[in-house]
Amino acid sequence: MRIAVLSGKGGTGKTLVAVNLATVGAPSIYVDCDVEEPNGHLFFKPVDIHEEEITVRIPIVDHTACTGCRKCVEFCNFNALAYTDKLLVFDDVCHSCGGCLLVCQENALAEREKNIGRVQAGTSGDVSVLTGILNPGEASGIPIIHRLLDSSGEAKASTPVFIDCPPGSACIVMESIKDADYCVLVAEPTIFGVHNLNMVYELVSLFQKPFGVVLNKCLKGENPAEAFCVEHGIKILARIPFDHELGLLNSDAKIAAQEDETYQELFWHLLQTVGQEVTDETTAHS
Amino acid sequence: MKIAVPADQNNMKTSVSASFGRAAFYLVYDSETQEGKFIDNTAAAAAGGAGIKAAQLVVDSGADVLLTPRCGENAADVILAANIRMYRTLYESAKQNIDAFLEGKLPDLDEIHAGYHGHRG
């Protein structure tokens, strides 16, 4: 069972939900795909960390062999190459497809490995913690996401995997949810929250992923995110209150489900609900 | 001398485009013949790397100078590698900027921005 936790913006509670689900679901795997600012490790404090460097391949030019035919420049769909009196390569724009090497008939292009970040694997009790870290200034963390998801895919099928996605609904989020069996959307009870919820709602609908919503920071009174769910017939999986104690636990980097019985129960129920949803989906499609 | 200007329309009354890489056209004005021709910017709708491709078009046009309100880092790398000098436009009208440039009244473009790449889009 692979569960992705996502939201349209940062600070909605993705990490709160993913970390606590992985805790109550242990033995489990927690995968931090928010590679620009991974923070799940702050809660899990994993030990026995193994680190792997992540590199991408970037073309390098042999200017003496290059004849300036520009076949590579015309081929590159990402516009990562330009030719003035010599070939220019824009590393940050390159998507490492290797196409330029294929079209070069002069063998003027080769590839070099460029380090873009790393993946850390550690353990925290019965939770395996995988963290992706993108070097500051790098344009795309997608190669790191691929490595993270490959690593988590090596586990036994019975071990649940909880994927803490990057915020938003861009390519990097699509990569993070690609192999998920179920998506948990976390939403805030504001008009702005509804806008962000709608972004990820459209994304998971486009990917035809089964999904449900966790309403976070719930206050008494109206909840625009809840109204959105009712209007669109979206399943509400859980409601997390706007709670001072929970805020304190979080800012102390403590895992609520380990510290507080109410939250242990809340996330346990959420896990059961999600598990049931996944089972229902599997039955419905088999 | 050939003078390139990012343009909103493909006629000599055009305004200068606010964006270099995503301009609809480039006006290439020949100061000797006093004639302007327009190049379609095939990079205008590119998902990424528009500035690089657009700069390539300007380089290929044979321009000696580029008059533009602003220019991103990647585009500037291509423009400068081709030894094209960049000047900052001061007026809305493309032609008015060309005239001002020919009178030596346009300043160098010395601020290159880091680009508006929407990685979080």
Side-chain angles (χ1 to χ4, degrees):
Chain A
M1 181 169 83
R2 298 171 73 82
I3 310 298
V5 182
L6 60 162
S7 73
K9 75 168 189 70
T12 15
K14 284 181 300 298
T15 299
L16 172 78
V17 170
V19 164
N20 280 282
L21 278 178
T23 301
V24 295
S28 64
I29 302 174
Y30 166 83
V31 189
D32 203 339
C33 286
D34 190 2
V35 297
E36 286 183 31
E37 45 232 351
N39 58 355
H41 66 96
L42 298 175
F43 294 91
F44 282 120
K45 303 166 186 72
V47 292
D48 299 329
I49 289 174
H50 296 274
E51 200 167 88
E52 186 190 345
E53 299 281 313
I54 306 296
T55 58
V56 293
R57 293 176 155 228
I58 300 290
I60 44 168
V61 195
D62 176 353
H63 293 292
T64 56
C66 177
T67 58
C69 76
R70 297 194 185 196
K71 284 201 174 76
C72 56
V73 176
E74 284 152 28
F75 178 84
C76 184
N77 245 333
F78 303 103
N79 303 319
L81 299 167
Y83 190 87
T84 54
D85 56 341
K86 62 173 190 174
L87 188 66
L88 305 175
V89 180
F90 290 86
D91 292 6
D92 288 344
V93 182
C94 175
H95 283 52
S96 306
C97 75
C100 50
L101 274 80
L102 294 176
V103 298
C104 181
Q105 284 160 1
E106 314 296 333
N107 286 325
L109 289 167
E111 283 177 314
R112 68 180 172 89
E113 298 280 337
K114 179 191 171 202
N115 177 278
I116 60 157
R118 55 202 199 274
V119 164
Q120 287 182 344
T123 54
S124 171
D126 283 338
V127 181
S128 297
V129 180
L130 290 170
T131 305
I133 304 161
L134 181 69
N135 291 344
E138 285 301 331
S140 169
I142 286 173
I144 298 179
I145 307 273
H146 286 162
R147 187 72 198 104
L148 283 168
L149 296 180
D150 283 352
S151 303
S152 67
E154 289 159 12
K156 280 190 297 185
S158 59
T159 311
V161 178
F162 299 94
I163 302 162
D164 194 352
C165 293
S169 54
C171 302
I172 196 161
V173 181
M174 299 182 203
E175 290 297 331
S176 305
I177 68 167
K178 218 163 55 183
D179 301 325
D181 299 308
Y182 192 83
C183 292
V184 174
L185 318 185
V186 186
E188 284 178 352
T190 60
I191 304 283
F192 188 42
V194 171
H195 173 80
N196 293 308
L197 173 59
N198 189 37
M199 281 164 56
V200 278
Y201 166 65
E202 286 179 357
L203 181 72
V204 294
S205 304
L206 187 69
F207 276 69
Q208 299 181 327
K209 294 283 180 191
F211 66 96
V213 167
V214 169
L215 298 170
N216 193 17
K217 309 183 192 177
C218 292
L219 293 154
K220 285 205 178 90
E222 65 172 321
N223 183 335
E226 181 165 14
F228 179 89
C229 292
V230 172
E231 190 188 327
H232 291 82
I234 301 167
K235 175 146 181 113
I236 295 169
L237 304 165
R239 290 175 176 79
I240 304 172
F242 187 69
D243 172 19
H244 187 71
E245 286 307 312
L246 181 60
L248 284 177
L249 287 172
N250 247 341
S251 22
D252 286 339
K254 290 190 172 133
I255 299 174
Q258 282 173 350
E259 304 287 329
D260 184 307
E261 264 182 46
T262 319
Y263 286 107
Q264 190 195 10
E265 207 170 300
L266 190 154
F267 286 107
W268 174 250
H269 276 291
L270 173 59
L271 181 65
Q272 300 312 307
T273 311
V274 169
Q276 191 57 48
E277 288 276 302
V278 175
T279 314
D280 291 351
E281 277 294 324
T282 320
T283 325
H285 290 95
S286 57
Chain B
M1 177 189 279
K2 283 187 175 176
I3 303 161
V5 189
D8 291 321
Q9 295 96 34
N10 56 353
N11 63 65
M12 284 307 289
K13 287 183 181 159
T14 182
S15 49
V16 176
S17 167
S19 161
F20 170 72
R22 306 263 177 202
F25 309 97
Y26 296 100
L27 162 61
V28 182
Y29 182 84
D30 189 325
S31 61
E32 275 138 49
T33 62
Q34 300 195 354
E35 276 172 16
K37 64 169 193 173
F38 288 85
I39 307 169
D40 285 349
N41 180 10
T42 48
I52 298 168
K53 194 174 178 188
Q56 180 81 66
L57 289 170
V58 169
V59 170
D60 295 346
S61 77
D64 301 292
V65 297
L66 169 66
L67 317 183
T68 181
R70 56 183 66 82
C71 186
E73 210 164 48
N74 290 340
D77 283 350
V78 179
I79 297 288
L80 296 174
N83 291 315
I84 297 174
R85 280 198 71 174
M86 289 194 280
Y87 295 87
R88 187 159 56 85
T89 54
L90 297 176
Y91 312 100
E92 198 181 320
S93 143
K95 186 65 172 63
Q96 202 180 347
N97 283 293
I98 291 169
D99 293 341
F101 165 73
L102 291 170
E103 290 164 23
K105 287 180 180 165
L106 289 190
D108 285 341
L109 182 79
D110 42 20
E111 263 182 49
I112 303 299
H113 69 78
Y116 302 121
H117 319 124
H119 298 303
R120 283 248 158 182

